[in-house]
């Protein structure tokens, strides 16, 4: 049974940092591309960042480029999102997602992903 679970969310002041962690189990982690998504109240779920199975290619939405860094550790079956210079508009529920693909570019569409975590709340105060 495939499971992905997020942790590391919390309340932080604008300009602060958080590191989200996603733990994946029940799958061959190296066969899966991974992504981070977020959803604010009343808004659609949107991709934040994604990474290929090998970690060789990444994608970031424009609003987080230069502030967020996605990475993965195949030995630990873990995915990370380092978030720096946080802004109030980054406030949302953050989700980890997995899709079995060895494509050379990381999927960025929500519907591409097969497995989802329950989410971790990130709140940035001004």
């Amino acid at each position: 049974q495939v499971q992905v679970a997020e942790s590391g969310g919390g309340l932080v002041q604008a300009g602060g940092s958080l590191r989200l962690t996603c733990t994946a189990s029940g799958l061959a982690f190296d066969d899966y591309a991974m992504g981070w998504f977020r959803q604010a109240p009343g808004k659609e779920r949107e991709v934040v960042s994604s990474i290929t199975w090998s970690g060789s290619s990444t994608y970031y939405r424009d609003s987080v480029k230069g502030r967020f860094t996605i990475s993965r550790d195949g030995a630990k079956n873990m995915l990370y999102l380092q978030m720096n210079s946080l802004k109030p508009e980054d406030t949302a529920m953050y989700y980890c997602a997995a899709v079995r693909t060895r494509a050379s570019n990381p999927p960025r569409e929500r519907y591409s992903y097969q497995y989802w975590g329950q989410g971790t709340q990130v709140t940035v105060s001004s």
Side-chain angles (χ1 to χ4, degrees), residues 8 11-20 67 82-86:
L11 173 63
V12 64
Q13 287 189 329
S17 298
L18 283 174
R19 187 194 197 202
L20 303 185
R67 300 189 297 123
Q82 178 66 44
M83 305 187 295
N84 298 328
S85 302
L86 282 161

Side-chain angles (χ1 to χ4, degrees):
Q1 181 180 359
V2 176
Q3 290 186 321
V4 292
E6 309 89 343
S7 61
L11 173 63
V12 64
Q13 287 189 329
S17 298
L18 283 174
R19 187 194 197 202
L20 303 185
T21 298
C22 172
T23 302
S25 61
L27 53 73
F29 191 65
D30 289 346
D31 285 342
Y32 284 75
M34 303 293 293
W36 286 102
F37 290 75
R38 67 187 180 188
Q39 187 168 17
K43 295 190 176 181
E44 300 250 332
R45 190 172 298 189
E46 62 184 20
V47 65
V48 176
S49 182
S50 57
I51 188 168
T52 54
W53 64 277
S54 63
S56 61
S57 181
T58 57
Y59 165 80
Y60 297 93
R61 70 180 303 105
D62 287 346
S63 60
V64 307
K65 284 180 181 177
R67 300 189 297 123
F68 290 11
T69 302
I70 191 171
S71 61
R72 61 188 294 159
D73 185 337
K76 297 181 179 179
N77 280 20
M78 295 179 81
L79 175 74
Y80 306 100
L81 186 68
Q82 178 66 44
M83 305 187 295
N84 298 328
S85 302
L86 282 161
K87 304 176 180 181
E89 50 264 44
D90 294 318
T91 295
M93 185 72 78
Y94 281 70
Y95 298 90
C96 172
V99 57
R100 186 175 182 181
T101 179
R102 286 198 163 198
S104 57
N105 293 307
R108 60 185 73 173
E109 298 84 8
R110 180 178 60 187
Y111 58 79
S112 296
Y113 286 81
Q114 298 167 294
Y115 303 104
W116 293 84
Q118 294 298 307
T120 186
Q121 178 68 37
V122 172
T123 303
V124 184
S125 63
S126 57

